[in-house]
Amino acid sequence: MSDAVRAAELKFRQGRDAELTAEAAAISRRVFGGKVFLRGLIEYSNYCSCNCLYCGIRRDNPHVDRYRLSDEAIYAAVDSGYARGLRTFVLQGGEDAAFDTERLSSLVAGIKKRTHGDAALTLSCGILPREHYAQLKKAGADRYLLRFETSDPALHTYLRDGVSLDRRLQALHDLKSTGFQTGSGFMVGLPGETEDTVVNNVRLAMDIGLDMVGIGPFIPHPETPLKDAPQIPIELALRTTAFLRVVCPEAHIPATTAAGSLAPNGREEMIRRGANVVMPNLTPVEAKKNYLLYPGKICLDEDGLQCIGCLSMRIKSTGFEMSFDRADGLVCRKEISA
């Protein structure tokens, strides 16, 4: 562990938040030129075969109005976003057998063709066999998101209904070895975690060498087994964002919707602490209200493209500037050129 990482960890543990915040903001400006990049999010299905204890669309929640977007609806969302200037799209869904690798590969190829090959495409579809990742990469997918959520092996197995942390980390290794720009991340404020857990989350993100790391504050969902867990104030997620930026200076860090749902200025505060990505939600309005991983999710009644103007003003208020650049991962570029 480098001296810089030890120093950042000490500041985090001692609550020297002003120092970490200033350092994180300076790093973000230096590495990314003061830009906050847009990614158009499309939540294509809320069916999921997994039964994670914290998730609102878990398999055993009978109160979810399930949906699957048609290929045409997905293409329409991409078309509208591309016309507006977006050059990165994220397809995210539950682990849904209806969207198998063949269908996803066809969608990837179709999106690449519609965007003339100049838009980056990120998938977030859960754990798959390595050969399926290779097929999706061959079809044209550029990036893949797979959050590990916690670095504590016992807590991971408990929260993910028996799926081990090792299995999740193997999938991340498979993604990197297949050539994907790879993103992951974790929640903070989970029941059963400690300060050491949070520090180890950041260390694990650093050790993997991720192109993107997302931090989400845990928000208890009333239709899950963790419904009575306490809500930890957003400050922990904000402090961790600054810590993460100092430790992972070249990773893209999103100002998450969960932070904006927990506090009206949550995304802005994340940007002030080093986050450099926001994700306007392009999912059709009639569907997005049913993709509720947690309660109180913002912007459910708004068209994602209409949100871009609001996001521009919010980002500007932090002293940073919104950018439509596709912004490929710096970590992946460095590894490829090495």
Side-chain angles (χ1 to χ4, degrees):
M1 191 190 310
S2 70
D3 290 341
V5 172
R6 289 192 186 92
E9 180 179 326
L10 185 62
K11 290 173 186 175
F12 177 77
R13 289 185 183 276
Q14 292 179 342
R16 292 154 61 186
D17 300 337
E19 294 176 55
L20 272 180
T21 294
E23 189 175 354
I27 290 171
S28 185
R29 288 188 184 281
R30 172 173 55 81
V31 175
F32 302 105
K35 295 180 178 180
V36 175
F37 304 105
L38 295 182
R39 276 82 159 101
L41 175 64
I42 302 167
E43 297 160 335
Y44 61 83
S45 171
N46 69 350
Y47 284 84
C48 192
S49 61
C50 298
N51 213 25
C52 303
L53 271 61
Y54 51 81
C55 183
I57 63 169
R58 64 195 305 265
R59 183 188 66 227
D60 286 354
N61 182 0
H63 303 295
V64 180
D65 290 328
R66 304 286 178 176
Y67 74 87
R68 295 183 175 107
L69 296 185
S70 66
D71 292 5
E72 292 73 22
I74 293 170
Y75 288 141
V78 170
D79 290 347
S80 62
Y82 187 82
R84 179 64 176 82
L86 292 172
R87 291 300 179 266
T88 293
F89 298 91
V90 181
L91 295 189
Q92 176 177 290
E95 296 195 21
D96 181 1
F99 283 86
D100 60 15
T101 305
E102 295 299 326
R103 183 177 180 184
L104 287 170
S105 296
S106 176
L107 280 166
V108 167
I111 291 170
K112 282 293 187 175
K113 183 176 180 180
R114 303 172 87 89
T115 59
H116 315 290
D118 66 343
L121 182 58
T122 303
L123 300 177
S124 182
C125 317
I127 293 177
L128 299 171
R130 186 184 185 281
E131 58 269 25
H132 290 210
Y133 291 144
Q135 181 177 336
L136 293 168
K137 188 71 176 67
K138 184 177 180 179
D142 304 280
R143 307 166 183 168
Y144 203 103
L145 303 181
L146 186 73
R147 285 165 55 126
F148 60 80
E149 301 299 13
T150 179
S151 58
D152 181 323
L155 185 58
H156 187 284
T157 300
Y158 167 67
L159 292 174
R160 290 194 176 277
D161 196 37
V163 178
S164 71
L165 176 61
D166 283 346
R167 179 65 189 94
R168 205 76 173 176
L169 296 181
Q170 180 61 53
L172 287 168
H173 173 77
D174 291 343
L175 286 163
K176 286 175 67 69
S177 67
T178 309
F180 274 103
Q181 296 175 42
T182 305
S184 192
F186 52 90
M187 284 187 284
V188 293
L190 285 165
E193 77 176 16
T194 64
E195 182 178 71
D196 284 343
T197 310
V198 179
V199 169
N200 288 333
N201 290 344
V202 174
R203 286 181 181 173
L204 179 57
M206 176 187 68
D207 290 343
I208 296 171
L210 296 165
D211 293 283
M212 191 283 283
V213 188
I215 295 177
F218 167 68
I219 304 175
H221 192 291
E223 300 293 340
T224 68
L226 300 185
K227 62 183 179 181
D228 295 324
Q231 176 66 69
I232 303 301
I234 194 174
E235 282 70 25
L236 178 59
L238 300 179
R239 296 178 60 234
T240 308
T241 300
F243 178 27
L244 178 67
R245 169 54 70 210
V246 175
V247 171
C248 299
E250 295 183 328
H252 291 295
I253 300 176
T256 52
T257 302
S261 301
L262 193 55
N265 63 341
R267 288 176 295 181
E268 292 94 314
E269 291 303 318
M270 275 194 160
I271 291 169
R272 291 187 177 98
R273 289 161 176 80
N276 70 307
V277 168
V278 292
M279 296 187 183
N281 192 334
L282 307 183
T283 309
V285 171
E286 61 273 17
K288 72 168 67 174
K289 64 184 178 181
N290 294 316
Y291 199 90
L292 291 181
L293 308 184
Y294 51 84
K297 191 174 179 182
I298 57 174
C299 302
L300 294 181
D301 298 321
E302 301 175 18
D303 179 89
L305 297 181
Q306 294 175 335
C307 289
I308 291 177
C310 173
L311 285 172
S312 177
M313 291 186 291
R314 286 177 175 272
I315 293 167
K316 189 175 182 180
S317 73
T318 68
F320 290 80
E321 114 183 63
M322 187 174 74
S323 172
F324 287 88
D325 294 349
R326 69 179 259 161
D328 284 306
L330 299 178
V331 177
C332 180
R333 280 194 224 168
K334 182 179 292 185
E335 290 181 351
I336 290 173
S337 62

